[in-house]
Amino acid sequence: MIRIPILRPGSREAFPRIDQALHEPNGLLAAGGDLSPTRLLEAYRHGIFPWFSPGEPILWWSPDPRMVFATDAVHQSRRLNRWLRQCPWTIDADREFRAVMISCAAPRPGQTGTWITASMLDAYCLLHEMGHAHSIEVYEADRLIGGLYGVAVGQMFFAESMFSHATNASKVALMALAATLRRWGWPLIDAQVSSDHLRTLGAIELPRQAFAAHVARLTARAGATGSWTGCLALERAAELAGQPAAR
């Protein structure tokens, strides 16, 4: 039987130390609590995130290793770079946060459900209204075709999920986010759990303790709360051609 600490909803009790997370399943740290802004922001400041399926209690995770993107090393192939030069898409942030989350929640091919539950949707939309959660959106004319969302604490961005309704649209959102954060001096994007797909985009693994040290340092810095609409480093996908991450 798996035994982990149980947090009480509405309480201010601290999370367990992340080195107490289970090895199997990798990173499971605690259950229960709530999805209040205070609890969520405290989790991210410690390198912890919620991830659970419908019908399960809230589960809190801190896997080892942790997958991250360096904002100056998102993979951009020469083929993609050539394609970007002719791409007519535009990019913005925080215009359609709820729509981005709903699109991210749509089951992928071969899946029947989603971990982005109604309670998660409401919780992160509240964080967005408070200026802590942000979406990056890719548009073809006025149609939303791709994007991602996550949480910013200090100078650390914790990516949660992305979606694409057109080939390369989620890559464009990720590259636009990286370009913006790089310009702001933010070095890392958290990508949470390792996957082969993320590796193809340039993500690397960090030992959990090294990741936690980066998080402690970066979340303590002054960040960029409030709406990011109109604040990205670029407005057109074609401007991504020739970015420093291209190789």
Side-chain angles (χ1 to χ4, degrees):
M1 178 181 294
I2 296 175
R3 294 185 180 276
I4 54 174
I6 305 298
L7 304 174
R8 292 169 296 168
S11 73
R12 302 188 66 176
E13 58 193 311
F15 283 102
R17 297 195 320 270
I18 58 174
D19 60 7
Q20 296 178 353
L22 299 180
H23 295 290
E24 183 58 43
N26 180 14
L28 182 58
L29 179 67
D34 54 56
L35 296 174
S36 67
T38 299
R39 176 61 76 181
L40 285 171
L41 293 174
E42 185 69 8
Y44 285 109
R45 289 189 185 100
H46 289 86
I48 301 164
F49 60 89
W51 184 26
F52 59 99
S53 297
E56 292 181 340
I58 300 170
L59 301 176
W60 301 95
W61 302 79
S62 183
D64 189 15
R66 189 68 163 245
M67 185 147 271
V68 301
F69 288 98
T71 57
D72 62 355
V74 175
H75 180 63
Q76 187 172 322
S77 68
R78 290 184 177 89
R79 181 178 180 180
L80 178 59
N81 200 45
R82 289 193 299 269
W83 176 83
L84 282 168
R85 292 191 183 99
Q86 308 300 320
C87 182
W89 299 343
T90 57
I91 309 162
D92 207 345
D94 290 347
R95 286 168 48 184
E96 298 186 71
F97 183 88
R98 179 176 286 270
V100 169
M101 276 201 73
I102 290 171
S103 292
C104 288
R108 302 321 195 241
Q111 297 179 344
T112 58
T114 177
W115 59 270
I116 303 177
T117 62
S119 61
M120 290 280 273
L121 179 64
D122 290 342
Y124 282 81
C125 283
L126 178 56
L127 271 187
H128 170 66
E129 292 170 7
M130 297 172 66
H132 299 296
H134 304 280
S135 57
I136 307 298
E137 299 129 8
V138 180
Y139 293 93
E140 184 174 46
D142 294 327
R143 186 171 72 95
L144 179 66
I145 59 170
L148 61 81
Y149 78 95
V151 175
V153 182
Q155 294 183 6
M156 182 75 199
F157 191 88
F158 302 88
E160 283 291 325
S161 187
M162 62 176 64
F163 80 97
S164 185
H165 293 326
T167 302
N168 293 330
S170 59
K171 291 181 183 179
V172 166
L174 175 62
M175 289 186 293
L177 172 64
T180 298
L181 299 184
R182 183 169 63 247
R183 178 175 293 183
W184 292 352
W186 300 24
L188 292 177
I189 299 170
D190 176 34
Q192 297 185 345
V193 180
S194 298
S195 75
D196 291 339
H197 173 64
L198 292 177
R199 287 189 186 91
T200 67
L201 300 177
I204 60 172
E205 291 180 338
L206 289 179
R208 179 168 55 210
Q209 288 305 124
F211 172 77
H214 285 298
V215 167
R217 174 174 56 89
L218 294 170
T219 59
R221 295 179 179 177
T225 55
S227 175
W228 287 6
T229 303
C231 295
L232 298 187
L234 42 83
E235 297 179 352
R236 298 182 298 113
E239 296 176 68
L240 288 163
Q243 289 289 310
R247 62 183 184 267

